[in-house]
Amino acid sequence: MTSKSSITITQLVDSDYEAWLTLWQNYLSFYETSLAAETTDCTWRKIIDSETAIYGFGARIAGVLVGVTHVVLHPNTWNTTDCCYLEDLYVDGSVRGQGVGRTLIEYVYDFAKQRGCNRVYWTTQQSNTPARILYDHIASQTDMVQYRKDL
């Protein structure tokens, strides 16, 4: 079992690409989807571009990247400060249940506070029971229902 103190969270950098790509592909597989290589490349470029409001953070245990999260900061019409959308969160199966996901989310909370955001929010599949157990302990589920039309 990993202790929270042995989990290190840092912003993703160029040298994380190969490890990130493995976790990203596993994340996409978890959601039974795939993306074109150009989309994945574009996503990576946005994550490491300091001029884009998309940020990537990595969780490491003993220096090995074992989890990632991507967040998007954006303005909104209901507040005077930005929101933080936690768009992606993935933890390698070999370390799930050891606090990596919680540590990543808590890091995002701190990051969003430092940036003056008014909230952190995210969505997940209704059937993602293990993740939802964690989410129920660290956030409040809203009664909002998401609708989407892909264009």
Side-chain angles (χ1 to χ4, degrees), residues 1-8 59-62 64 66 91 94-101 103:
M1 184 77 159
T2 301
S3 72
K4 187 175 176 180
S5 64
S6 66
I7 301 167
T8 305
R60 291 174 173 75
I61 298 175
V64 177
V66 296
V91 174
S94 68
V95 295
R96 285 200 193 127
Q98 298 182 33
V100 176
T103 303

Side-chain angles (χ1 to χ4, degrees), residues 119-123 132 136 139-146:
R119 70 178 169 270
V120 174
Y121 71 102
W122 63 91
T123 62
R132 291 186 64 199
D136 287 344
S140 300
Q141 182 179 352
T142 70
D143 62 353
M144 301 303 287
V145 176
Q146 182 186 51

Side-chain angles (χ1 to χ4, degrees), residues 22-72:
T22 297
L23 294 171
W24 178 244
Q25 294 300 335
N26 290 341
Y27 174 72
L28 296 175
S29 293
F30 176 83
Y31 280 108
E32 299 177 355
T33 193
S34 61
L35 295 174
E38 67 187 30
T39 302
T40 291
D41 291 343
C42 182
T43 296
W44 178 251
R45 285 192 308 274
K46 289 175 186 175
I47 288 168
I48 60 170
D49 180 358
S50 62
E51 299 298 315
T52 304
I54 298 175
Y55 302 86
F57 305 107
R60 291 174 173 75
I61 298 175
V64 177
L65 193 64
V66 296
V68 294
T69 188
H70 308 137
V71 300
V72 179

